[in-house]
Amino acid sequence: MTLLTYRSAVARGIAQEMRRDPNVVFFGEDVAAAGGVFKTTVGLLEEFGPDRVRDTPISEQAILGAAMGAAMTGLRPIAEIMYSDFFAVCWDLVANEIAKSRYMSDGQVSFPLVIQCGNGAGLRFGAQHSQSIENWAMAIPGLKVVAPATAADVVGLMAAAVRDDDPVIFFNHKALYASKEEVPDGEIVDRLGRAVVRREGGDATVVALAAMVPRALAAAERLSSEQGIECAVVDVRSLVPLDTTTILAEVAKTGRLFTVEENPRLCGWGAEIVSIATEECWASLTGAPVRITTPHIPLPSADSLEDLAIPSVDRIVDTVSTALSR
């Protein structure tokens, strides 16, 4: 086992796949010589050289156009969009070309590519550099959508994403980069579309993603120690494909569902999970599902206001406690 930061896990996951498969290449803005703006790709250029690890011009459309072309010709590119917010300038390539061309060509062309990016708030970058946009991506047929919460998952899910023959958007959460955990040595290969139950509990099920997972776990510990409420916590990990089997099984055990997401409230992924749970296990529910989200506002830059907008441990505790007391 090795104590690994989430930040270092990004480079380890990419390096693992580049060592295994010479067709894996990696490129993006400042990912090579500088080791990434968040220092997530340090050492990749030195190990794999400039033919496989390349800096690009500041053009998200050029980066993703190159990734699409590389995938069409047999490579397995990993392309980095520095901030997920910048997907807004290249959705035509992602939504209309990368996501749909395999379907439109009747499978004659595949797109085994990964687009990784820094997602979410917590570093006070304001409305245009702090958004959590995984709900934008999950609405597009043809894309797979992954958002790991732990260093081990960064490595294992990156391996699964690179080996997948469909395009995968891989959301690394910026606020988790400094978090650490013991990660098994050697090759780690995970599976897309598998949620993980991080904590067992019989009173309520809390479903969370990425940076909301440690907050949900902290809230569950407080609810247990202070009020005797035992919450199961499910880490979704992959929105597309979505592991409804694990989520619904936990909801059926507890009868109560709470989703914790960083997205603005309107059309967040929590709404989809609540809808599925209502349709599929209505008879097991003993109370209305509850969504804990940010308000439907642009994220502010000010520390205090950003903290107020994003679901906090206190807000999760208060929401669950109040709902269960009714």
Side-chain angles (χ1 to χ4, degrees), residues 253-268:
K253 289 179 189 173
T254 65
R256 298 303 302 262
L257 169 62
F258 298 83
T259 61
V260 186
E261 58 181 312
E262 200 174 314
N263 302 109
R265 185 168 185 79
L266 189 62
C267 298

Side-chain angles (χ1 to χ4, degrees), residues 70-92:
M72 291 175 73
T73 57
L75 297 176
R76 287 184 176 269
I78 304 169
E80 179 169 297
I81 299 298
M82 190 181 293
Y83 291 85
S84 64
D85 315 70
F86 300 164
F87 271 97
V89 301
C90 48
W91 275 125
D92 181 54

Side-chain angles (χ1 to χ4, degrees), residues 18 42 59 67 86 101 111 132-133 147 154 168 172 176 179 193 197 209 215 239 252 266 282-283 289 307 309:
M18 294 188 77
V42 173
S59 172
F86 300 164
S101 292
F111 295 87
S132 188
I133 70 147
V154 169
V168 179
N172 294 318
L176 295 174
S179 61
V197 180
L209 183 77
R215 295 190 184 196
L239 289 170
L266 189 62
W282 172 257
D307 289 343

Side-chain angles (χ1 to χ4, degrees), residues 14 17-18 21-28 31 44 48-54 66-67 70-71 74-80 112-114 162:
I14 295 171
E17 294 308 295
M18 294 188 77
D21 185 349
N23 288 318
V24 179
V25 295
F26 176 52
F27 48 85
V31 301
L44 294 178
F48 300 102
D51 286 343
R52 297 181 65 194
V53 179
R54 295 192 178 192
L75 297 176
R76 287 184 176 269
I78 304 169
E80 179 169 297
L113 65 90
V114 178
V162 171

Side-chain angles (χ1 to χ4, degrees), residues 8 32 54 103-104 119 129 133 159 201 203 225 280 285 293:
S8 299
R54 295 192 178 192
Y103 169 78
M104 294 175 68
N119 193 47
H129 294 74
I133 70 147
D203 296 321
S225 62
E280 299 294 332
L285 292 171
T293 71

Side-chain angles (χ1 to χ4, degrees), residues 119-185:
N119 193 47
L123 301 184
R124 323 309 191 186
F125 288 151
Q128 296 176 325
H129 294 74
S130 299
Q131 295 173 90
S132 188
I133 70 147
E134 63 273 7
N135 56 324
W136 298 3
M138 72 181 291
I140 300 168
L143 297 178
K144 294 179 178 175
V145 181
V146 178
T150 70
D153 280 1
V154 169
V155 180
L157 291 174
M158 176 58 74
V162 171
R163 300 178 193 195
D164 198 284
D165 286 333
D166 289 316
V168 179
I169 299 187
F170 201 94
F171 290 103
N172 294 318
H173 200 290
K174 299 193 291 289
L176 295 174
Y177 280 144
S179 61
K180 297 179 181 178
E181 69 167 336
E182 294 284 345
V183 176
D185 296 323

Side-chain angles (χ1 to χ4, degrees), residues 279-313:
E279 289 178 355
E280 299 294 332
C281 59
W282 172 257
S284 299
L285 292 171
T286 57
V290 178
R291 297 165 54 205
I292 305 169
T293 71
T294 68
H296 196 66
I297 59 169
L299 276 176
S301 300
D303 296 11
S304 58
L305 294 178
E306 187 188 82
D307 289 343
L308 195 62
I310 304 297
S312 64
V313 174

